Amino acid sequence: MKYLLAYSIPFVGVLGIYFGGIWSYTALLFAFVVLPILELLLPINEKNYNEIEVTERLKNVLFDVLLYLNVPIVYGSILFALYKVTHVNLSLFEIIGITISLGIILGANGINVAHELGHRANLMERVLGKILLIPSHYTHFFIEHNHGHHLHVSTPEDPSTAKYNQNLYRFWFQTVTGTYSKAWKIQKKLNQVENRSWFSIKNDMFWFTIIQISYLVLIYYYFGNTGFIVALFAGIVGFLLLETINYIEHYGLKRSLLASGRFERVSEKHSWNSNHVLGRIILYELTRHSDHHFKSQKKYQILEYYDISPQMPYGYPTSMVLSFFPPLWFAVMNKRIPLEMKP
């Protein structure tokens, strides 16, 4: 039940929104001050599960239920925040704090969980994943991540792989524009391969566009200008947090180009791994990212650690804070990039 801690961000965020004032920024302080400090104090756990433990964890439906519960938590947080900003006389300072806190919830418990569910074979789980992407205006992530990123990770063809000495802010522009553009290209190719019409129910990008517009229109209708602006910018905060995680997950790592002209297969060495226990729990084992890319269908509760995977010196929450300060990030990470991958 340790994964109940993954609900700590929405719990703290909603509590801060409720109390208002300086407390509106509680989720920001919790995610980027409290969690990094705790990560530095708590141990690293490199233990993998044996066959019996793996079987038991796969049979335990609670691991899946914990993911599903994020749908009402995320949408409940949205409704509560929008009600607060439209029914209570708040200062601009408070509205900004609420927007940031809501955005952090959307990133941690929305997109992150959507990422896990988007890799599942079960239709219901994939639908829940898509639903969790809507508030962050990032439904196209479902297409590009599964059909693009996992295929082209750590190559120049992947907009979600940060290059050596590329700072976070340049990367944001690269990945946000590149991911959206690539999603449309992938969808076009899928339509051609399966001979789909533009209005086919399987043309995800068409329906994603309709759904995203409808989501914002509904918010404007029920919550007015203020609610619309808060929802819009909270979604932006959410997807920028996702892309910050993308930045630290593959920064500077490259797959070798073979004599055949193809890139080597994705392996455990093409993603940064972290065994820091708190980050692992809060992000549903996303920090064991090397194994996720090696075997993308693996459920979060059985992801493993490999010695050959490049190791981050800190957990993901701490590393995200470092990435906001490019000179500090380069000083810490550049020397850890495998020599054969450096330019």
Side-chain angles (χ1 to χ4, degrees):
M1 300 305 289
K2 64 184 179 183
Y3 293 106
L4 286 173
L5 282 174
Y7 300 144
S8 61
I9 288 180
F11 175 77
V12 168
V14 169
L15 208 60
I17 292 170
Y18 174 78
F19 284 110
I22 189 67
W23 297 105
S24 302
Y25 292 81
T26 301
L28 178 66
L29 295 173
F30 180 71
F32 296 116
V33 177
V34 176
L35 290 183
I37 290 174
L38 289 176
E39 272 199 322
L40 295 174
L41 299 175
L42 294 172
I44 292 173
N45 183 359
E46 298 178 351
K47 178 182 177 294
N48 288 328
Y49 304 108
N50 59 43
E51 289 186 17
I52 295 176
E53 289 173 321
V54 167
T55 301
E56 289 177 348
R57 291 171 80 83
L58 287 175
K59 285 181 179 179
N60 191 340
V61 71
L62 282 177
F63 286 106
D64 296 328
V65 172
L66 287 171
L67 297 178
Y68 306 157
L69 288 176
N70 281 283
V71 175
I73 287 173
V74 165
Y75 278 89
S77 300
I78 294 169
L79 291 174
F80 178 69
L82 295 182
Y83 181 87
K84 181 74 181 282
V85 299
T86 54
H87 287 78
V88 179
N89 187 23
L90 301 172
S91 66
L92 179 61
F93 175 79
E94 289 176 297
I95 292 174
I96 292 173
I98 289 172
T99 303
I100 293 172
S101 289
L102 180 58
I104 291 171
I105 295 171
L106 299 184
N109 295 75
I111 300 183
N112 181 47
V113 176
H115 164 258
E116 172 70 22
L117 293 174
H119 281 289
R120 303 288 178 87
N122 181 280
L123 177 61
M124 182 204 75
E125 292 179 318
R126 291 164 70 86
V127 169
L128 290 179
K130 293 175 182 179
I131 289 172
L132 283 171
L133 290 171
I134 295 170
S136 291
H137 328 309
Y138 235 57
T139 43
H140 62 279
F141 173 83
F142 184 88
I143 292 284
E144 198 284 327
H145 183 81
N146 291 302
H147 297 281
H149 176 62
H150 271 265
L151 182 64
H152 299 130
V153 65
S154 298
T155 74
E157 298 177 46
D158 180 34
S160 298
T161 296
K163 305 175 185 68
Y164 182 80
N165 268 346
Q166 181 179 32
N167 70 52
L168 173 65
Y169 308 105
R170 286 171 53 206
F171 173 75
W172 277 352
F173 180 79
Q174 167 190 295
T175 189
V176 171
T177 58
T179 297
Y180 186 73
S181 173
K182 194 170 182 180
W184 275 109
K185 292 176 183 176
I186 292 169
Q187 185 66 71
K188 183 179 179 181
K189 185 175 181 180
L190 290 173
N191 291 345
Q192 291 172 342
V193 169
E194 299 192 15
N195 195 28
R196 299 173 185 160
S197 75
W198 178 253
F199 300 104
S200 167
I201 195 170
K202 293 185 178 180
N203 184 355
D204 279 348
M205 283 301 291
F206 171 75
W207 293 110
F208 286 164
T209 303
I210 299 298
I211 290 168
Q212 291 288 185
I213 294 172
S214 299
Y215 168 76
L216 290 174
V217 168
L218 282 172
I219 286 177
Y220 178 78
Y221 180 80
Y222 285 105
F223 297 100
N225 287 329
T226 303
F228 176 84
I229 292 171
V230 168
L232 177 66
F233 282 96
I236 292 172
V237 171
F239 74 65
L240 288 181
L241 287 180
L242 162 75
E243 297 301 2
T244 302
I245 290 177
N246 264 334
Y247 177 80
I248 67 175
E249 283 173 340
H250 305 288
Y251 171 76
L253 302 179
K254 296 193 298 185
R255 286 155 61 191
S256 299
L257 187 63
L258 305 176
S260 64
R262 300 172 67 92
F263 288 98
E264 64 176 313
R265 293 186 65 181
V266 177
S267 74
E268 307 95 316
K269 65 182 181 180
H270 296 118
S271 306
W272 290 98
N273 184 79
S274 168
N275 289 309
H276 292 74
V277 292
L278 191 57
R280 286 178 55 188
I281 294 169
I282 294 291
L283 295 173
Y284 295 102
E285 302 292 351
L286 181 69
T287 68
R288 283 194 163 180
H289 206 61
S290 300
D291 194 26
H292 169 69
H293 267 275
F294 184 46
K295 299 175 182 176
S296 62
Q297 298 300 317
K298 231 177 182 182
K299 291 188 174 182
Y300 75 95
Q301 66 264 34
I302 60 168
L303 288 173
E304 297 179 274
Y305 158 68
Y306 299 97
D307 288 335
I308 67 169
S309 301
Q311 301 300 308
M312 304 201 79
Y314 307 107
Y316 272 30
T318 306
S319 299
M320 290 172 73
V321 174
L322 284 179
S323 71
F324 295 143
F325 306 95
L328 187 57
W329 171 259
F330 296 148
V332 171
M333 294 302 298
N334 282 2
K335 60 188 177 186
R336 288 177 167 80
I337 295 173
L339 289 175
E340 68 273 16
M341 296 188 187
K342 290 187 177 181

